[in-house]
Amino acid sequence: MSIYDHKKIEKKWQKYWEEHELFRARDDSPKPKLYTLIEFPYPSGEGLHVGHPRPYTAMDIISRKKRMDGYNVLYPIGWDAFGLPTENYAIKTGQPPAQVTKKNIANFTRQIKSLGISFDWSRAVNTTDPAYYKWTQWIFLQLFKHGLAYKSKIAINWCINCKIGLANEEVVGGVCERCGGPVEKRLKDQWMLAITKYADKLLEGLQEVDYVPQARTQQENWIGRSEGAEIDFKIQGSDRKIRVFTTRPDTLFGATYMVLAPEHELVGQLKESILNLKEVEKYIASAKRKSDLERTELQKEKTGVELCGVRAVNPANNEEIPVWVADYVLGGYGTGAIMAVPAHDERDWEFAKKYNLPVRYVVRPVSVDSTNPPREEKQLDHLKKFSAFAGVGILMNSGSFNDLDFETAKWKITEEVGGHKKIMYKLRDWVFSRQRYWGEPIPLVFCEACAKSHKGESVGEQTNHGWIPLPESELPLKLPAVKKYEPTDTGESPLSTMSKWVNTKCPRCGGAARRETDTMPNWAGSSWYFLRYIDPHNEKEFASMEALKKWMPVDWYNGGMEHTVLHLLYSRFWNQFLFDIGAVPVREPYKKRTSHGMILAKGGEKMSKSKGNVVNPDDIVKQYGADTLRAYIMFMGPFDQAVEWDPQSLVGVHRFLERVWTTSERVSNDASCPKNIIRQEHQSIKKVGEEIEAMRFNTAVAHLMTFSNTLYKLEKVPRAAYETLLVLLSPFAPHACEELWALLGHTSSITEEKWPEFDSALLEEETFELVIQINGKIRDKYIVSSGITEEALRAEVLKRLKVEAILNGAEPRQFRYIPGKLVSIVA
RNA sequence: GCCGCGGUGGUGGAACUGGUAGACGCACUGGACUCAAAAUCCAGCGCCCGCAAGGGCAUGAGAGUUCGAGUCUCUCCCGCGGCACCA
């Protein structure tokens, strides 16, 4: 009699798997490939958190099952190790970030290995390893050479605490995503990546992949494509024009004023004609001072000021209309100017009401009946009192366009006034510079001499005069050791203080040059790590085309919803770019994307160090074992939903594994296997398999429990049925199943077993409980045989005492039989 | 405000295309074993009436479609996630 001692068996089998290289992905295998991926962790000093094992275990179960299905599975792991927490730790303690990172990776490795996840450790990558970031730099240089990286003085989001520029994506609700501190606008020279050039491709690509719907819509919203028209408005008494973008050119006749964003260049150009220039300048200055946070907080009431003396001409009806400056119009979107149609736009409506500007309705709702007066007129009259009519319909008050449908009118009016169709995106270019130490150095130098002779790289619209790329033979450009890791007070990276490193020779002309001292953002290394896993030790290329062709695309990528906008979009962009230059074989990197929910502390709060409610997986592994932890995390609740950690429920899963264990003592070779056991066995094969594939792990575990409970109650347990249970359970609780498998006399690993097949003929029940509903209420139930004909059944049912009592001799008005389920009678 | 998801026992959650609501756990109650406890095992467990047989009520609220609704339709309430002056 053996006891379930997880401490002994878990270490033993982890060692066995490693020694026998059972989870190595084989480049030369004839089996079909399957590439499963989880988001590689940031190895923080705090160590693993129970949230980490959720996606790892889920994809582990899928990977293990797929290996048993005959696939050659690549399930890799690595470290996304550049980043602020490590740098901040280095600032505090004076330890070099590289050293801290090494220690953290060792700890994470130990912790993850103790969970028995079937990663291929031989392919582990580390974004801070020069052998890795050499290729991150190489990809950046390709982007640079193709005109997709450019330096630009732009107003960036500046986090005052972190002393760092942030991408739009990193500013959440007006504050810094990392530290929650205030963000202000600052003009800075920044490297930018022209992701906007890929807006359409990134949108189109979503059509060919299988992403969880929220991920797809979030990406679509972020890219924010809208179709409309650009139309020019003349300025009275000047040859200048105001160009606007509108999605509703059909409402042009209703444009009763115009609004410029405070940043709009025209305000400066029209200085002479503005009668209230002082007032206007004061307004613009105050608008600029507002941070994003204030701008959103103050959205209750719109403000603005009229440019007195400036009038624009509505090209539809040649009417003179006033021009305003207001910060509800954004400088960064569209043309930075709008035609205001208060009758059909709620924002314009609000503004017009406040400043008493005229409102003219030019579209009416489509009629749904033919009352007199028509219903749509009543609707519109009603609406006029409270708000704009932002819906669509039929044109009115629009001259020769009256009674046209809005869609037709849009393009006819645009054409009539000399406008043109235009696609606009919300997506902005990606701010790629960080003024920080712990990131990849940007492999460019600035050469004064080359700048003067215009010998800089210049591709497409972007010119980067004087910026010279390092030759690829000089990569990696390593991070030099510095004494202090703090950003400087001027906001420059700590690298800028290292004159030895900064001052260098121009690779082009050999003259004096200075290195770029900004580093790359965190997102750089994670934008292509899935490619490096494929060929992680290649020194000549980031990955060979042969290996990429074998493994790409990633078949199944699971990650958190918090990464669906940033990481997913950036890495798709890099992969699409690499595809366009012929460096990777597929355009879309991820075929399928799923998402897991968070694990919350008891009480529904997020786990956090400051609240002291973090559960450390080490403790659970120690007390109950990795198998219990894995099965419990899967059993807690639906995989894609947030669930609360509940130590009480953990014991239920542990008991289940213990019962599976003790059942092994009663396994018998000669026990006959009753039909109902065989049926349940095959039902389990079917259900557990289907549920794993659909990520319904909680019900998969429930079915395993049901099957196990059945076997547990038998005095003699048929060997075949028990072995099936072990095989089905093994992806969830691999260590215990290996040990039990070996105890049954097997000499090879259970992970090498074939996933069993079910026989549909054996799934059928011979009898079922028929439910009899009379007038919609359940009145009787009894067991009938599955093969019964409707006629025979009807005769039987009508003779049932309870049925007779209600029918009272009368014929039923309706008799309906749902085979295998119920009979519904209407008396 | 807009978009998406959700609301089921004491509790976490099950329920395929409309067909026995509450699978599988946890907690709880009673019993067995024990000197005792823990562990384990057996039984019970939505609410109300009833000794029972049985009956009635129940999936956030209200209506509707249907022989039949947790599931479909409409209105409303609440919670979570995302976006938020994007013209």
Side-chain angles (χ1 to χ4, degrees):
Chain A
M1 172 142 173
S2 62
I3 302 166
Y4 175 32
D5 180 358
H6 61 265
K7 281 182 193 141
K8 255 188 214 158
I9 63 169
E10 292 186 350
K11 283 275 160 313
K12 169 181 156 190
W13 287 103
Q14 284 159 17
K15 208 173 142 206
Y16 177 94
W17 296 327
E18 203 161 331
E19 279 169 4
H20 290 76
E21 300 183 352
L22 286 174
F23 307 132
R24 286 268 179 104
R26 304 285 169 186
D27 289 326
D28 52 4
S29 165
K31 293 178 184 174
K33 71 98 181 179
L34 188 85
Y35 187 175
T36 48
L37 185 67
I38 46 96
E39 287 164 349
F40 63 162
Y42 174 69
S44 72
E46 278 115 67
L48 216 63
H49 166 281
V50 276
H52 286 107
R54 199 179 196 193
Y56 303 171
T57 307
M59 289 313 284
D60 189 44
I61 289 164
I62 288 164
S63 300
R64 285 174 180 270
K65 196 239 166 193
K66 286 297 191 176
R67 284 193 201 97
M68 295 168 106
D69 279 339
Y71 284 88
N72 177 28
V73 174
L74 169 56
Y75 185 34
I77 176 80
W79 315 106
D80 185 16
F82 276 128
L84 272 182
T86 304
E87 182 164 338
N88 289 336
Y89 185 78
I91 291 170
K92 227 170 35 191
T93 65
Q95 291 184 58
Q99 196 180 308
V100 176
T101 298
K102 205 177 157 195
K103 214 174 74 194
N104 290 346
I105 287 177
N107 189 41
F108 262 70
T109 302
R110 175 191 64 76
Q111 290 190 295
I112 294 176
K113 281 193 173 173
S114 80
L115 300 173
I117 313 282
S118 67
F119 287 129
D120 180 350
W121 287 93
S122 72
R123 292 171 185 254
V125 301
N126 168 2
T127 56
T128 66
D129 180 350
Y132 181 93
Y133 69 65
K134 169 182 180 175
W135 299 108
T136 312
Q137 291 171 333
W138 181 86
I139 295 170
F140 174 80
L141 285 185
Q142 308 314 307
L143 287 159
F144 180 80
K145 288 174 185 171
H146 286 82
L148 292 168
Y150 61 96
K151 202 153 203 189
S152 170
K153 201 179 225 27
I154 51 148
I156 58 154
N157 307 295
W158 181 262
C159 173
I160 298 161
N161 276 354
C162 303
K163 297 183 184 171
I164 195 170
L166 302 172
N168 287 332
E169 288 87 336
E170 292 169 306
V171 181
V172 178
V175 300
C176 172
E177 182 195 45
R178 299 149 188 280
C179 70
V183 172
E184 61 173 34
K185 292 276 175 201
R186 265 204 198 177
L187 273 185
K188 263 209 152 288
D189 249 353
Q190 299 282 309
W191 284 104
M192 307 286 293
L193 293 186
I195 191 172
T196 50
K197 289 196 176 157
Y198 274 74
D200 256 330
K201 283 181 180 174
L202 289 168
L203 209 52
E204 279 163 22
L206 291 172
Q207 300 301 321
E208 59 183 75
V209 292
D210 174 20
Y211 284 11
V212 54
Q214 296 109 293
R216 187 174 149 168
T217 30
Q218 274 189 38
Q219 292 227 347
E220 283 170 352
N221 291 343
W222 193 264
I223 296 168
R225 182 186 198 270
S226 53
E227 201 178 78
E230 276 188 342
I231 294 171
D232 290 339
F233 283 59
K234 280 189 186 127
I235 293 172
Q236 194 64 272
S238 154
D239 47 9
R240 295 188 195 278
K241 291 170 183 165
I242 301 174
R243 173 164 287 190
V244 301
F245 171 72
T246 174
T247 55
R248 293 293 302 272
D250 52 308
T251 63
L252 185 57
F253 283 84
T256 51
Y257 66 101
M258 304 194 76
V259 186
L260 305 179
E263 300 91 327
H264 203 283
E265 53 179 17
L266 216 61
V267 182
Q269 293 164 359
L270 293 173
K271 262 184 188 167
E272 328 282 76
S273 358
I274 302 172
L275 304 173
N276 56 341
L277 190 61
K278 263 199 180 153
E279 193 192 350
V280 171
E281 283 177 339
K282 199 176 147 202
Y283 177 78
I284 291 174
S286 78
K288 273 189 183 159
R289 245 182 288 119
K290 285 184 196 171
S291 68
D292 279 4
L293 185 61
E294 287 168 319
R295 232 169 135 158
T296 43
E297 267 182 358
L298 293 174
Q299 72 170 268
K300 316 151 216 157
E301 194 155 337
K302 300 192 192 328
T303 57
V305 54
E306 188 179 350
L307 297 182
C308 297
V310 179
R311 310 283 284 179
V313 180
N314 183 333
N317 51 18
N318 289 320
E319 203 170 82
E320 271 187 33
I321 55 176
V323 179
W324 287 64
V325 172
D327 68 358
Y328 83 92
V329 172
L330 306 173
Y333 182 77
T335 61
I338 61 155
M339 63 178 213
V341 186
H344 300 289
D345 182 283
E346 278 169 34
R347 294 153 302 179
D348 297 344
W349 163 276
E350 197 187 312
F351 193 77
K353 283 289 147 184
K354 179 170 174 186
Y355 291 104
N356 230 346
L357 292 154
V359 179
R360 186 185 304 138
Y361 286 84
V362 294
V363 176
R364 58 172 205 260
V366 181
S367 181
V368 274
D369 56 31
S370 48
T371 50
N372 193 21
R375 190 164 143 188
E376 76 267 23
E377 265 174 39
K378 279 190 261 170
Q379 273 182 0
L380 193 58
D381 281 343
H382 181 73
L383 233 124
K384 280 178 181 173
K385 289 174 200 150
F386 314 102
S387 72
F389 168 56
V392 296
I394 305 289
L395 266 69
M396 56 196 245
N397 296 331
S398 294
S400 60
F401 301 96
N402 280 347
D403 301 322
L404 277 181
D405 169 69
F406 82 104
E407 192 61 45
T408 320
K410 266 186 186 174
W411 310 119
K412 286 205 168 170
I413 292 179
T414 302
E415 203 188 324
E416 171 80 12
V417 301
H420 59 271
K421 225 177 180 172
K422 177 85 185 178
I423 310 293
M424 206 57 85
Y425 300 93
K426 287 185 204 169
L427 186 69
R428 295 281 89 93
D429 274 348
W430 175 6
V431 181
F432 200 67
S433 292
R434 294 301 122 96
Q435 292 70 44
R436 279 285 180 164
Y437 172 75
W438 193 229
E440 300 87 345
I442 292 175
L444 297 173
V445 303
F446 184 76
C447 173
E448 209 66 58
C450 289
K452 276 182 190 143
S453 59
H454 282 226
K455 274 191 197 149
E457 293 296 327
S458 167
V459 182
E461 295 159 38
Q462 305 300 342
T463 54
N464 290 320
H465 292 314
W467 285 104
I468 312 294
L470 290 190
E472 286 172 17
S473 60
E474 283 183 31
L475 299 182
L477 169 60
K478 287 194 192 169
L479 260 179
V482 297
K483 287 209 182 80
K484 291 182 82 183
Y485 304 101
E486 286 95 336
T488 63
D489 292 332
T490 58
E492 298 291 311
S493 148
L495 292 177
S496 65
T497 61
M498 297 201 61
S499 45
K500 252 197 206 163
W501 185 79
V502 172
N503 294 315
T504 184
K505 278 187 181 147
C506 172
R508 166 110 9 135
C509 70
R514 291 174 59 82
R515 291 190 195 281
E516 171 58 65
T517 59
D518 284 355
T519 53
M520 300 188 197
N522 231 180
W523 309 109
S526 59
S527 289
W528 72 284
Y529 75 113
F530 52 93
L531 298 171
R532 189 62 179 172
Y533 282 143
I534 286 172
D535 196 3
H537 309 296
N538 194 331
E539 290 174 8
K540 297 196 194 90
E541 303 158 283
F542 67 86
S544 77
M545 186 49 93
E546 192 196 348
L548 289 167
K549 275 186 178 156
K550 175 166 178 77
W551 289 107
M552 283 299 283
V554 172
D555 293 281
W556 195 334
Y557 190 14
N558 185 82
M561 280 310 295
E562 69 273 19
H563 287 130
T564 51
V565 176
L566 313 167
H567 162 64
L568 220 58
L569 200 66
Y570 292 155
S571 58
R572 288 181 59 226
F573 164 47
W574 277 33
N575 190 80
Q576 289 201 354
F577 164 71
L578 290 171
F579 175 77
D580 286 346
I581 64 169
V584 298
V586 293
R587 182 182 293 281
E588 280 297 330
Y590 317 122
K591 203 162 157 188
K592 174 173 179 162
R593 168 81 181 189
T594 52
S595 202
H596 57 268
M598 264 199 290
I599 293 187
L600 304 169
K602 214 164 177 205
E605 287 184 310
K606 260 193 187 180
M607 286 191 189
S608 77
K609 212 181 163 189
S610 57
K611 282 186 192 134
N613 56 7
V614 179
V615 178
N616 184 342
D618 282 350
D619 299 335
I620 313 297
V621 170
K622 210 165 159 192
Q623 194 180 350
Y624 296 101
D627 286 334
T628 298
L629 176 65
R630 294 167 55 111
Y632 170 61
I633 288 177
M634 293 297 104
F635 183 63
M636 292 172 88
F639 181 65
D640 57 356
Q641 277 172 40
V643 282
E644 281 177 38
W645 183 260
D646 179 8
Q648 277 196 320
S649 295
L650 192 69
V651 303
V653 176
H654 190 66
R655 281 178 201 154
F656 156 60
L657 294 181
E658 276 180 327
R659 282 197 297 269
V660 172
W661 189 276
T662 52
T663 304
S664 72
E665 288 155 20
R666 298 192 310 282
V667 168
S668 155
N669 287 331
D670 51 312
S672 65
C673 200
K675 262 195 164 165
N676 64 318
I677 303 281
I678 294 179
R679 188 181 314 119
Q680 216 187 341
E681 179 185 350
H682 283 257
Q683 283 170 345
S684 299
I685 294 169
K686 181 170 191 279
K687 282 181 181 159
V688 174
E690 286 170 356
E691 281 162 349
I692 289 174
E693 303 268 349
M695 296 192 127
R696 291 196 302 261
F697 304 107
N698 54 334
T699 51
V701 174
H703 281 121
L704 287 164
M705 285 173 168
T706 309
F707 185 35
S708 159
N709 287 344
T710 303
L711 298 184
Y712 184 68
K713 286 183 186 129
L714 299 176
E715 260 168 60
K716 274 185 161 187
V717 181
R719 184 181 176 110
Y722 184 70
E723 289 196 342
T724 299
L725 171 66
L726 289 184
V727 170
L728 298 183
L729 177 62
S730 69
F732 295 84
H735 312 85
C737 291
E738 283 279 23
E739 183 70 19
L740 290 167
W741 190 250
L743 287 175
L744 289 176
H746 293 280
T747 51
S748 61
S749 165
I750 196 168
T751 63
E752 295 178 288
E753 284 305 298
K754 222 176 133 325
W755 188 262
E757 279 174 29
F758 62 88
D759 182 346
S760 326
L762 294 174
L763 297 174
E764 302 294 319
E765 307 270 353
E766 284 145 21
T767 59
F768 69 95
E769 190 179 36
L770 179 80
V771 171
I772 300 172
Q773 276 186 10
I774 303 175
N775 295 337
K777 294 219 185 257
I778 295 163
R779 293 297 160 175
D780 199 5
K781 298 174 185 179
Y782 75 106
I783 305 286
V784 300
S785 95
S786 299
I788 193 164
T789 63
E790 185 168 346
E791 261 171 78
L793 186 95
R794 182 184 169 117
E796 252 178 59
V797 165
L798 293 180
K799 272 192 204 124
R800 304 277 304 172
L801 287 177
K802 290 188 185 156
V803 177
E804 280 189 326
I806 294 169
L807 285 179
N808 222 347
E811 270 294 296
R813 283 199 285 162
Q814 202 181 78
F815 185 99
R816 210 182 291 241
Y817 172 48
I818 313 300
K821 294 224 155 82
L822 57 71
V823 157
S824 178
I825 297 171
V826 181

